[in-house]
Amino acid sequence: VRAERLMALTDVGEPQAKKAIEYSDRERQKFFRRIHDLRQELPTQYDLVVNTDRFTVPEAVKLIVAASKK
């Protein structure tokens, strides 16, 4: 799904999109390990997690705005 989204937003093909996502994931993991000493990123470490496989971007925005007002 993430590769499909990236391909829809850019002119890259599937192999390049998957490679970019893998790189981004590795860099994110390094950041969390270096800055927060976390070995694994978990949804339970966040106050709000929105599954964008289930919601469209506009729906996710509405959820986030509504949650921020609570």
Side-chain angles (χ1 to χ4, degrees):
V1 171
R2 290 169 64 198
E4 289 173 7
R5 287 184 190 153
L6 184 56
M7 291 185 309
L9 293 171
T10 64
D11 290 330
V12 300
E14 186 175 359
Q16 296 91 349
K18 287 182 177 180
K19 192 172 186 175
I21 290 167
E22 289 169 3
Y23 174 79
S24 174
D25 287 349
R26 276 193 312 274
E27 292 302 308
R28 182 180 179 95
Q29 184 179 28
K30 287 179 193 176
F31 171 81
F32 279 111
R33 185 171 289 169
R34 185 176 68 248
I35 302 300
H36 301 291
D37 196 31
L38 292 175
R39 299 271 181 235
Q40 183 179 12
E41 183 181 9
L42 300 170
T44 55
Q45 296 163 336
Y46 293 88
D47 294 324
L48 178 65
V49 177
V50 179
N51 181 349
T52 56
D53 287 348
R54 180 160 161 46
F55 299 100
T56 65
V57 171
E59 290 170 335
V61 169
K62 287 180 184 178
L63 288 170
I64 293 165
V65 169
S68 72
K69 293 180 179 179
K70 297 281 177 174

